[in-house]
Amino acid sequence: MITELEMGKGESELELGLGLSLGGGTAAKIAGKSGGGAWGERGRLLTAKDFPSVGSKRAADSPSHAGSSPPRSSSQVVGWPPIGSHRMNSLVNNQATKSAREEEEAGKKKVNDDHQPKDVTKKVNGKVQLGFIKVNMDGVAIGRKVDLNAHSSYENLAQTLEDMFFRTNPGTIGLTGQFTKPLRLLDGSSEFVLTYEDKEGDWMLVGDVPWRMFITSVKRLRVMKTSEANGLAARHQEPKERQRNQPA
Amino acid sequence: MALRLPSKVLKHILSFIDSNEDRNSVSLVCKSWFETERKTRKRVFVGNCYAVTPAAVARRFPEMRSLTLKGKPHFADYNLVPDGWGGYACPWIEAMAAKSPSLEEIRLKRMVVTDECLERIAASFKDFKVLVLTSCEGFSTDGIAAIASTCRNLRVLELRECIVEDLGGDWLSYFPETSTSLVSLDFSCLDSEVKISDLERLVSRSPNLKSLKLNPAVTLDGLVSILRRAPQLTELGTGSFAAELKPEAFTKLSKAFSNCKQLQSLSGLWDVLPEYLPALYSVCPGLTSLNLSYATVRMPDLVELLRRCSKLQKLWVMDLIEDKGLEAVASYCKELRELRVFPSEPDLDATNIPVTEQGLVYVSKGCRKLESVLYFCVQFTNAALITIARKRPNLKCFRLCVIEPFAPDYKTNEPLDKGFKAIAEGCKDLRRLSVSGLLSDKAFKYIGKHAKKVRMLSIAFAGDSDLMLHHLLSGCQSLKKLEIRDCPFGDTALLENAAKLETMRSLWMSSCFVSFGACKLLSQKMPRLNVEVIDEHPPKTRPESSPVERIYIYRTVAGPRMDTPEFVWTLHKNPEIGVSKLAIK
């Protein structure tokens, strides 16, 4: 049963930004008992208070580095990965100095971008980054990752996502538990649509551009409620519109 | 006529038995053995400070010289236990001060310790020798100063990963001016600078000093000067290892290290610049323990260092070591018993993959004595787990943290069930297990069935249903501590296996589906368990089916505790919320 208080908290925490998994510590698999809303706030959202040595390091996503994550002081789930706070503080401090260094190197590497292979794999600082990108779904706190290089088409990708978030095997519960029929994320006939954020930071509906072009420009995916997908281009400019969230 | 062992003889026999597990068994044989045992036990271990009252412990063990206490549940390390939950050391110190003034050693883990508490320790135990505080909080450097100045026979003072209100480095000057009996000093978790001259003088007048762990504020120059005065050290935690790269600095450092011929354990190395690592080469061949987990050094430099460490038994390192580095470890460090690989990026979004499952496979194949693993990586495969289990059946502790929640075997897309089955079946002496990645109920069926010696089990983001919990609680014969977060189950399995909980030290579940009603029912059914519902944001009304944020259940003979904060609900504290007639499906 969802009380008003829970619902209110859950809603405001779902607000905070595209792609951020919120309401930390949430059991992502909801057995359909009380719906998504009740789980909006299990555990605490990490705040700067949890990282006492971090000042205002809550960096906004910087689009500078495709694939390489910007230094963020708050991870998306409370207490995950399970690293003690002393160690976490030390890592966060390292991130700050490292990102400064990396941005210098990024400047040098941009020149070579044209020679990069067409798929999403890049080599940054000697480490191979696979074609994994984050996928978040409205109402589910824990994000997932998909390997774009393992897919050949939009249909392929949609199938994987449907399996991932709405597993249809009997005896198992998908991440939201309630839906057991295929979603048809691409044809606009279901409750959800698939959207993506491109390199310029704009959110678009998936499926409009050729696949090869898509995988070079996609930064991350979001399974969004159809009701919210209206006026997609304007969304990231007016976060206040999203106050009217419905519980999942 | 039964033969009775004269208590004198029994006493003599017991003087050879140190292990508390054995002593606990001895005390169960009969009343006279219980009596003899309790009167001879010197080292007392209490795994949960709320399981028993301090007075009862003091009463039972009149010859107690060493007390070890643990407070908060393990997940407190990851911010899952709200501040103010409990775990106060004071009542224990008070009781011991009154009843066991001969206490010499106190070791506390995850407890709240105040300055008053520390002052009480200093004032009450005349022959106090050992204070070890691990992951504790609530005190300041003033309390430490009190210990330093008053405990004239202090041998060990270790602050491990504590949260200390640091009022400055003065505390160091409070040690007695004449020679000290210090054997071990660890202040690595303190922030502020200590005066190098104070430290130098302390080291010079501590001829027995064997273990010294400095804080990051101590510079390289300071380190050199300390090492010159304490070449007998066997354990060293350096301070910050970064400084201007002057050739003289390097030479001095090198020389200082080469004089430390007995050094076996090295840690610290914060901000270590790779250019300074060669200064350590001289001590590498003798090292048995090396903690590089704060050293952001790249693989080639790490390998250069590690290939010289042929006696290494314990290695803590960051994932910057990469698979290749671990391959080198597998070939050079044949004595390795414990490996921990920590993530270098705390961000869940990181797609860089410096280590993969392959790194751990290398080490499992090459290091035959490997028995303890903590490994963070982004994803894993069943095949790797199966290989690891096959190669290393002697594993005692296996903690795999696949950082990506629900990550399947990335080659086959299957859950990691088969892999963990192999671990549970193959590693018959496994005592501690942490699982991660995509896991179905099947995985837990295997674990329940085969992991007969597992005492501590940690689970996150796993399982499909209540069956998972049921498999674990109805299997896992030796289970003592179970901690679970973000798994989709609760009531049924919990209530059906309630009796199991009395055989365990504790059960922690957070962000699961345990309902308030089940908590109340469990509370009522099991009076020898303390059932704590820990909810920071409780709803205004509490319907029976509403899920709780966290539940912490532990067996106790101390009854309900009286020091719960507002956000902890217990049946005892809130009896007005009776247990209604529930229909538990």
Side-chain angles (χ1 to χ4, degrees):
Chain A
M1 229 178 274
I2 310 166
T3 64
E4 249 181 40
L5 182 65
E6 280 182 309
M7 202 154 80
K9 278 244 159 105
E11 298 324 295
S12 61
E13 283 182 311
L14 279 171
E15 285 303 2
L16 283 174
L18 300 172
L20 279 178
S21 301
L22 303 162
T26 303
K29 294 190 192 180
I30 301 165
K33 255 196 214 174
S34 8
W39 297 102
E41 47 187 280
R42 296 296 139 224
R44 253 182 327 138
L45 187 66
L46 274 184
T47 64
K49 177 166 84 82
D50 295 305
F51 301 99
S53 66
V54 174
S56 50
K57 286 197 185 132
R58 192 101 48 120
D61 278 346
S62 49
S64 58
H65 238 133
S68 174
S69 37
R72 237 179 267 166
S73 62
S74 55
S75 64
Q76 298 167 344
V77 179
V78 179
W80 192 264
I83 310 172
S85 50
H86 272 261
R87 195 172 293 284
M88 189 65 102
N89 289 347
S90 169
L91 287 181
V92 170
N93 285 337
N94 286 343
Q95 287 286 40
T97 39
K98 195 176 138 196
S99 69
R101 237 183 291 148
E102 272 182 350
E103 274 174 15
E104 269 181 61
E105 293 180 32
K108 295 180 206 154
K109 282 201 173 5
K110 261 196 182 130
V111 182
N112 299 324
D113 262 2
D114 290 334
H115 306 288
Q116 292 287 354
K118 285 276 187 268
D119 66 16
V120 192
T121 309
K122 284 188 167 54
K123 268 202 161 129
V124 178
N125 294 337
K127 289 183 230 162
V128 175
Q129 294 176 308
L130 305 187
F132 280 94
I133 57 165
K134 265 207 91 71
V135 191
N136 286 89
M137 176 166 148
D138 284 356
V140 177
I142 308 292
R144 302 293 300 269
K145 285 201 185 116
V146 275
D147 182 0
L148 287 184
N149 292 334
H151 297 88
S152 52
S153 67
Y154 285 120
E155 285 68 36
N156 227 210
L157 177 63
Q159 190 57 57
T160 300
L161 293 178
E162 287 177 22
D163 285 346
M164 210 181 254
F165 285 99
F166 307 94
R167 259 189 293 168
T168 54
N169 300 328
T172 64
I173 316 169
L175 279 171
T176 58
Q178 300 174 5
F179 311 92
T180 52
K181 36 188 204 310
L183 268 194
R184 295 184 293 275
L185 283 169
L186 296 177
D187 63 12
S189 67
S190 82
E191 206 184 313
F192 290 89
V193 288
L194 187 57
T195 64
Y196 73 102
E197 183 183 15
D198 70 7
K199 288 207 170 104
E200 277 119 48
D202 297 323
W203 284 85
M204 329 266 273
L205 275 177
V206 163
D208 287 344
V209 300
W211 172 255
R212 301 232 65 149
M213 199 185 295
F214 166 71
I215 61 174
T216 56
S217 62
V218 63
K219 262 180 60 185
R220 56 181 161 186
L221 294 167
R222 179 173 163 198
V223 179
M224 196 185 287
K225 288 178 141 307
T226 313
S227 49
E228 300 197 7
N230 298 324
L232 204 52
R235 283 200 66 70
H236 66 274
Q237 290 158 10
E238 298 190 27
K240 285 192 187 139
E241 273 186 287
R242 279 174 277 146
Q243 296 281 348
R244 282 171 275 118
N245 266 352
Q246 308 295 313
Chain B
M1 190 174 81
L3 282 172
R4 260 180 93 184
L5 210 54
S7 73
K8 236 181 168 177
V9 176
L10 183 57
K11 243 181 147 169
H12 184 68
I13 297 174
L14 287 182
S15 66
F16 296 104
I17 301 186
D18 282 327
S19 135
N20 273 345
E21 256 185 77
D22 290 340
R23 277 184 166 266
N24 289 344
S25 305
V26 164
S27 62
L28 290 174
V29 169
C30 64
K31 280 205 174 122
S32 73
W33 279 42
F34 176 89
E35 283 299 305
T36 310
E37 191 285 312
R38 78 175 185 84
K39 285 175 185 159
T40 56
R41 191 182 302 204
K42 298 222 164 61
R43 319 187 68 85
V44 176
F45 171 81
V46 179
N48 174 3
C49 65
Y50 289 119
V52 61
T53 62
V57 174
R59 232 186 353 254
R60 180 172 168 189
F61 302 111
E63 294 301 308
M64 177 174 26
R65 294 287 177 273
S66 155
L67 176 64
T68 302
L69 283 174
K70 293 191 181 179
K72 300 186 205 172
H74 172 236
F75 273 177
D77 286 354
Y78 316 128
N79 291 331
L80 290 178
V81 179
D83 279 342
W85 171 82
Y88 304 106
C90 270
W92 285 87
I93 305 303
E94 291 293 338
M96 298 310 145
K99 296 272 163 47
S100 307
S102 311
L103 197 60
E104 295 173 1
E105 306 183 5
I106 295 178
R107 293 173 174 82
L108 304 175
K109 188 166 186 180
R110 289 189 207 103
M111 295 194 77
V112 176
V113 183
T114 58
D115 284 345
E116 290 73 33
C117 206
L118 291 172
E119 284 156 19
R120 200 83 161 85
I121 292 175
S124 316
F125 306 112
K126 294 301 159 210
D127 204 18
F128 196 67
K129 294 195 170 79
V130 172
L131 181 65
V132 177
L133 303 177
T134 307
S135 303
C136 293
E137 53 173 354
F139 59 102
S140 78
T141 41
D142 282 352
I144 302 302
I147 298 279
S149 65
T150 318
C151 304
R152 299 266 128 184
N153 291 326
L154 193 67
R155 293 205 191 137
V156 173
L157 177 59
E158 291 177 11
L159 308 173
R160 303 178 185 172
E161 314 237 316
C162 293
I163 300 178
V164 185
E165 191 192 347
D166 199 331
L167 303 169
D170 277 345
W171 61 274
L172 198 64
S173 60
Y174 279 77
F175 282 100
E177 279 301 324
T178 54
S179 85
T180 77
S181 31
L182 272 181
V183 172
S184 168
L185 177 63
D186 179 351
F187 61 98
S188 52
C189 64
L190 296 182
D191 284 325
S192 64
E193 242 178 83
V194 298
K195 271 213 232 104
I196 275 299
S197 51
D198 281 346
L199 193 52
E200 287 167 354
R201 273 178 305 147
L202 177 64
V203 169
S204 300
R205 66 185 194 275
S206 304
N208 298 329
L209 194 66
K210 289 279 184 229
S211 170
L212 180 61
K213 295 190 180 164
L214 308 168
N215 69 350
V218 175
T219 60
L220 269 183
D221 279 339
L223 177 64
V224 170
S225 137
I226 299 300
L227 287 181
R228 284 206 192 119
R229 288 167 168 78
Q232 79 281 9
L233 287 178
T234 58
E235 280 189 6
L236 172 68
T238 71
S240 158
F241 227 76
E244 269 180 50
L245 289 168
K246 287 183 253 176
E248 318 94 66
F250 179 84
T251 321
K252 276 197 284 181
L253 190 64
S254 248
K255 193 144 181 262
F257 269 108
S258 61
N259 278 333
C260 295
K261 308 232 184 271
Q262 299 178 45
L263 205 58
Q264 290 175 339
S265 163
L266 189 57
S267 59
L269 300 168
W270 289 283
D271 319 317
V272 62
L273 293 174
E275 291 80 0
Y276 276 120
L277 285 182
L280 303 173
Y281 289 173
S282 60
V283 296
C284 287
L287 284 183
T288 55
S289 167
L290 182 53
N291 183 351
L292 292 164
S293 64
Y294 289 99
T296 49
V297 174
R298 302 277 156 186
M299 184 268 295
D301 298 308
L302 286 172
V303 172
E304 256 319 289
L305 189 68
L306 290 168
R307 70 178 186 81
R308 294 168 154 84
C309 301
S310 56
K311 287 210 191 126
L312 206 59
Q313 295 181 16
K314 174 170 141 175
L315 174 63
W316 290 20
V317 73
M318 282 189 151
D319 59 11
L320 302 167
I321 192 171
E322 295 177 34
D323 288 343
K324 205 155 169 229
L326 289 173
E327 193 181 6
V329 168
S331 68
Y332 294 119
C333 307
K334 290 299 191 191
E335 296 296 312
L336 200 67
R337 279 136 168 86
E338 177 179 329
L339 174 70
R340 294 198 189 185
V341 177
F342 294 97
S344 52
E345 278 184 56
D347 205 325
L348 284 184
D349 259 359
T351 46
N352 297 342
I353 306 180
V355 294
T356 70
E357 77 283 3
Q358 191 52 48
L360 187 54
V361 169
Y362 286 138
V363 178
S364 303
K365 284 184 175 167
C367 302
R368 284 167 200 241
K369 298 189 185 176
L370 187 70
E371 53 180 37
S372 173
V373 171
L374 170 61
Y375 200 77
F376 283 84
C377 63
V378 174
Q379 50 194 13
F380 228 77
T381 62
N382 281 311
L385 283 170
I386 292 169
T387 306
I388 292 167
R390 194 165 31 98
K391 289 288 176 185
R392 293 276 66 77
N394 50 323
L395 280 175
K396 294 213 170 74
C397 168
F398 187 73
R399 297 162 70 188
L400 177 65
C401 181
V402 176
I403 299 180
E404 172 74 21
F406 313 116
D409 176 329
Y410 71 92
K411 290 196 175 146
T412 64
N413 252 329
E414 291 174 347
L416 291 177
D417 297 348
K418 285 196 214 136
F420 278 107
K421 174 180 187 224
I423 296 279
E425 261 187 315
C427 305
K428 302 207 188 302
D429 287 328
L430 200 62
R431 287 171 65 104
R432 184 167 177 184
L433 177 63
S434 300
V435 299
S436 53
L438 185 66
L439 294 164
S440 78
D441 287 341
K442 268 214 221 120
F444 299 99
K445 188 166 164 210
Y446 302 139
I447 293 174
K449 189 165 166 215
H450 296 287
K452 295 191 166 49
K453 292 208 180 148
V454 165
R455 298 167 52 97
M456 181 167 177
L457 186 52
S458 310
I459 305 172
F461 307 112
D464 294 324
S465 72
D466 243 18
L467 270 182
M468 167 187 150
L469 185 57
H470 175 72
H471 288 313
L472 293 176
L473 292 179
S474 58
C476 292
Q477 296 164 333
S478 309
L479 194 61
K480 292 279 170 274
K481 286 195 283 186
L482 179 58
E483 46 185 25
I484 302 173
R485 62 165 295 177
D486 292 86
C487 295
F489 48 64
D491 298 354
T492 318
L494 198 57
L495 292 171
E496 266 180 31
N497 292 284
K500 170 82 169 185
L501 298 175
E502 273 187 11
T503 68
M504 292 165 54
R505 185 188 296 171
S506 66
L507 167 63
W508 168 277
M509 290 173 66
S510 54
S511 305
C512 297
F513 288 155
V514 182
S515 77
F516 189 62
C519 295
K520 289 192 320 194
L521 190 59
L522 192 64
S523 261
Q524 247 211 1
K525 263 176 76 172
M526 314 289 297
R528 284 185 301 196
L529 295 179
N530 273 0
V531 177
E532 296 188 7
V533 173
I534 304 169
D535 260 354
E536 282 181 294
H537 310 110
K540 283 199 189 117
T541 58
R542 270 254 197 232
E544 301 292 287
S545 59
S546 77
V548 301
E549 285 174 28
R550 311 169 188 80
I551 176 171
Y552 183 47
I553 304 170
Y554 52 91
R555 66 178 171 189
T556 179
V557 294
R561 64 174 174 121
M562 300 303 167
D563 59 0
T564 50
E566 214 177 63
F567 55 79
V568 171
W569 174 95
T570 63
L571 187 63
H572 175 263
K573 202 170 84 174
N574 312 84
E576 72 281 3
I577 307 176
V579 179
S580 60
K581 296 183 185 63
L582 291 167
I584 307 283
K585 294 191 189 99

